[in-house]
Amino acid sequence: MLIVGKAGQLITFAPLTTQTTTSPDFALSASTNSNLPLSYTSSNTTVAEVYQDGLIWKVHIKGEGATDITASQVGNSNYMAAVDVVQQLQVIGAPLPVILVSYSAKLEGNYAKLEWKTTNEQNNKGFELYRKTESTENSTFVKIGEVSAPHISNLTSQVYSFTDKTPLNGTNYYKLVQIDNDGKATELGIRTVTFNFQPSTFNLYPNPTADQVNISFTAGRFNLLQVVDVNGKVLQQWSINAMEDSKILLLGQYPAGIYIIHLNGKGISETRKVVKR
């Protein structure tokens, strides 16, 4: 029933744009022809809450989904209550900092080479690589390396690679994890590479060593010896003739750390690690 002496009022409330779960708080801007202040409610506070910041009503995003934001004006001595106006707010998940185009792992000699390609990079700090060797509940992934992103704004396409130079015998499981600039981690997938290392046919001692390493092997089996650091740089290289069954290496000139001894022959490649004190 119309109440004599009171004017009607209408609420103007424009549709709300879709937000993401990482959207900042934003102000609501409905209005009335009476210029009286409005109040708001949210039908689903697990998606978004409304609150007053001084004289301004704002929305705080809580999670994915949909909620109805209702604008109300209860009237006063001069105006009747307005008919509530409802606008639905949709909240979607925040876009990933990268889109993974491809991810592969393959055998490369005695190493495992991992390669992946991304597109549409934003706020990407880089990647971490993890490995485990058994697909059982009790096995755990161990971090084996990091690869930084180039930090180019709105990078459209980028190819990355990482080489595991110390894989273990059997099936190795490699997990790729993307890291945001704020530290959030997103798993991008798992790939496998299987190694079937044969028992070593050469020995080295002492290990660890301060300098000298004695290497013994079967004569005629190998024709090349290399000393390689953990970054893959060849530090020493020696030919092995068919009559030799031993070599002596000197590592005293190198800093303490792990070094890789490679013995190569026709269709044969064997690797051992030595620790330099």
Side-chain angles (χ1 to χ4, degrees):
M1 176 182 295
L2 179 64
I3 300 177
V4 177
K6 285 193 176 185
Q9 57 176 334
L10 296 174
I11 295 174
T12 302
F13 190 8
L16 299 170
T17 58
T18 299
Q19 304 291 318
T20 72
T21 52
T22 56
S23 294
D25 293 5
F26 63 94
L28 293 165
S29 57
S31 62
T32 67
N33 60 327
S34 65
N35 292 320
L36 292 175
L38 291 137
S39 61
Y40 300 86
T41 57
S42 171
S43 66
N44 188 347
T45 55
T46 63
V47 173
E49 293 178 336
V50 294
Y51 67 96
Q52 276 189 285
D53 182 7
L55 298 177
I56 300 174
W57 282 87
K58 292 184 177 181
V59 176
H60 175 67
I61 303 299
K62 299 290 291 294
E64 290 185 59
T67 183
D68 289 333
I69 305 297
T70 301
S72 302
Q73 215 307 307
V74 296
N76 62 10
S77 58
N78 296 317
Y79 288 92
M80 298 171 53
V83 176
D84 291 347
V85 177
V86 179
Q87 296 290 358
Q88 187 177 76
L89 174 65
Q90 292 281 349
V91 179
I92 61 175
L96 292 175
V98 305
I99 295 175
L100 185 67
V101 177
S102 62
Y103 171 35
S104 65
K106 63 181 180 180
L107 194 68
E108 195 168 85
N110 287 328
Y111 299 155
K113 185 171 184 180
L114 314 178
E115 293 183 317
W116 61 100
K117 182 178 180 181
T118 66
T119 188
N120 294 344
E121 289 198 13
Q122 296 181 25
N123 302 317
N124 179 29
K125 180 180 179 181
F127 303 88
E128 294 178 348
L129 289 305
Y130 293 80
R131 181 188 67 200
K132 72 174 183 177
T133 54
E134 295 178 355
S135 58
T136 63
E137 292 183 0
N138 294 327
S139 65
T140 57
F141 280 97
V142 176
K143 183 178 174 181
I144 60 171
E146 298 179 355
V147 177
S148 297
H151 305 300
I152 300 173
S153 180
N154 297 320
L155 186 64
T156 57
S157 181
Q158 180 70 17
V159 177
Y160 298 89
S161 67
F162 177 85
T163 299
D164 179 14
K165 297 177 180 177
T166 57
L168 303 177
N169 207 25
T171 300
N172 292 250
Y173 295 79
Y174 295 99
K175 179 168 67 175
L176 178 63
V177 178
Q178 182 272 326
I179 308 298
D180 291 2
N181 286 331
D182 63 4
K184 180 183 177 182
T186 302
E187 293 186 13
L188 298 182
I190 296 172
R191 301 292 184 268
T192 63
V193 180
T194 300
F195 291 85
N196 185 22
F197 297 123
Q198 299 301 314
S200 178
T201 59
F202 78 92
N203 296 303
L204 56 84
Y205 66 93
N207 189 14
T209 181
D211 184 12
Q212 181 172 306
V213 180
N214 302 289
I215 301 176
S216 60
F217 44 83
T218 302
R221 182 173 178 81
F222 303 105
N223 55 34
L224 182 67
L225 184 152
Q226 292 179 320
V227 180
V228 180
D229 67 16
V230 292
N231 295 315
K233 181 180 179 181
V234 177
L235 304 176
Q236 298 183 34
Q237 182 167 293
W238 304 89
S239 296
I240 303 172
N241 66 50
M243 301 301 293
E244 287 184 294
D245 61 3
S246 64
K247 285 282 190 184
I248 295 176
L249 301 178
L250 299 178
L251 301 180
Q253 61 184 305
Y254 304 118
I258 296 175
Y259 296 88
I260 314 298
I261 309 300
H262 288 296
L263 284 179
N264 298 309
K266 188 175 181 179
I268 300 169
S269 179
E270 295 190 16
T271 301
R272 296 284 295 280
K273 291 189 292 187
V274 62
V275 177
K276 164 67 169 50
R277 291 197 299 264

